[in-house]
Amino acid sequence: MSYRLSDSAGYKEAVARELTLRETAFLCDDRTTLANGIRVRLFTPMHMLRALYAESPFVLGGEVRGEELLQFLWIIRDTAAWGDGDDDRQRFIGAHLHLLQPQAFMEAFNAVHQYLEETFMDRPPSASADASTAGEHTAFYSNVAELVDIFGHQYGWTERYVLGLPYVRLYQYLRCIISRTSLEEVSFINRFSDLAAVAWTNALNQQQQAQQSLPATPAPPAPQPQQ
């Protein structure tokens, strides 16, 4: 393995993946394709609100059944191909009933998880995650309201505009705001490349420990003087 992180294949692939996801998020139509081939919209705060209202386990946690999978796919569907009416919803469900088959279900399930993982890769850590006391950092407003407030103050954007922007773009703007306004040097979490760096460090440590555990090679005998 490489003894420099920057030369590690896994790390370079993770950095390239993050860069590609950030850049392609600015494509004008805000559409993407899941790993299983389904065309969807990039995830936005409005999608999040609809998923929360529907109590989707993809955002709240819990067991995901076939109906919840189809429900979530309907929420993030490509609206250029599927309308908003009840008839459109029934046609959509009928066209995706094959996803209830075990193998297709797992492929779609994993694709949605990857989609959400990529959506929130630049999300800042929650303040409540660092709370050492129960009840500390009690939230008095939603994360969506916070985003609307931040971008309304910084850029003058309307609520409707913010709710319709993909998270993967909003979090990049948020990083720009933090970098510009912070009085101290800022470091960000890069989920994929940071995980690759941890894996590289662990592998390097294991390799070094394995080398140290090898028995010492005895030195060759010294040559005897000739008589």
Side-chain angles (χ1 to χ4, degrees):
M1 64 172 293
S2 172
Y3 284 91
R4 292 177 55 188
L5 176 61
S6 58
D7 294 333
S8 166
Y11 180 77
K12 289 192 290 187
E13 290 174 1
V15 171
R17 179 187 180 190
E18 290 167 340
L19 180 60
T20 299
L21 289 170
R22 290 174 183 136
E23 290 179 339
T24 55
F26 289 90
L27 293 174
C28 60
D29 63 359
D30 289 341
R31 289 184 292 179
T32 188
T33 302
L34 297 182
N36 67 336
I38 297 178
R39 192 74 167 161
V40 297
R41 309 292 295 189
L42 291 173
F43 202 59
T44 68
M46 182 57 73
H47 289 137
M48 173 63 85
L49 292 173
R50 290 172 177 165
L52 288 171
Y53 180 77
E55 299 183 347
S56 171
F58 280 108
V59 296
L60 293 178
E63 180 183 359
V64 177
R65 297 170 299 180
E67 60 191 79
E68 283 96 9
L69 173 65
L70 295 179
Q71 175 194 65
F72 189 80
L73 290 175
W74 167 254
I75 291 172
I76 63 173
R77 71 194 182 281
D78 179 5
T79 51
W82 303 94
D84 293 323
D86 291 338
D87 291 342
D88 296 299
R89 182 185 179 94
Q90 292 303 317
R91 287 194 305 108
F92 179 88
I93 292 175
H96 294 86
L97 284 177
H98 65 282
L99 297 178
L100 301 183
Q101 298 298 319
Q103 181 176 349
F105 174 86
M106 287 307 304
E107 290 175 354
F109 175 83
N110 292 331
V112 170
H113 268 283
Q114 178 181 329
Y115 166 83
L116 291 174
E117 186 179 46
E118 292 173 349
T119 291
F120 295 107
M121 67 175 186
D122 288 333
R123 180 179 183 175
S126 171
S128 60
D130 299 326
S132 57
T133 305
E136 191 175 352
H137 300 294
T138 300
F140 296 101
Y141 44 81
S142 70
N143 291 330
V144 172
E146 184 177 21
L147 289 175
V148 171
D149 177 74
I150 290 172
F151 294 113
H153 275 80
Q154 287 290 327
Y155 302 146
W157 291 349
T158 65
E159 177 185 273
R160 179 181 294 274
Y161 185 70
V162 174
L163 293 180
L165 281 179
Y167 275 110
V168 70
R169 290 167 59 181
L170 289 173
Y171 288 140
Q172 291 186 72
Y173 290 130
L174 186 57
R175 286 187 168 197
C176 292
I177 293 171
I178 294 172
S179 297
R180 185 177 65 253
T181 59
S182 178
L183 299 178
E184 300 178 355
E185 184 177 355
V186 180
S187 61
F188 296 107
I189 296 174
N190 298 305
R191 281 174 170 77
F192 301 135
S193 54
D194 286 351
L195 286 173
V198 170
W200 173 84
T201 301
N202 291 338
L204 182 62
N205 290 337
Q206 291 175 1
Q207 185 181 56
Q208 291 174 341
Q209 291 173 1
Q211 291 174 344
Q212 293 172 358
S213 64
L214 293 175
T217 303
Q224 298 296 322
Q226 295 182 352
Q227 297 295 331

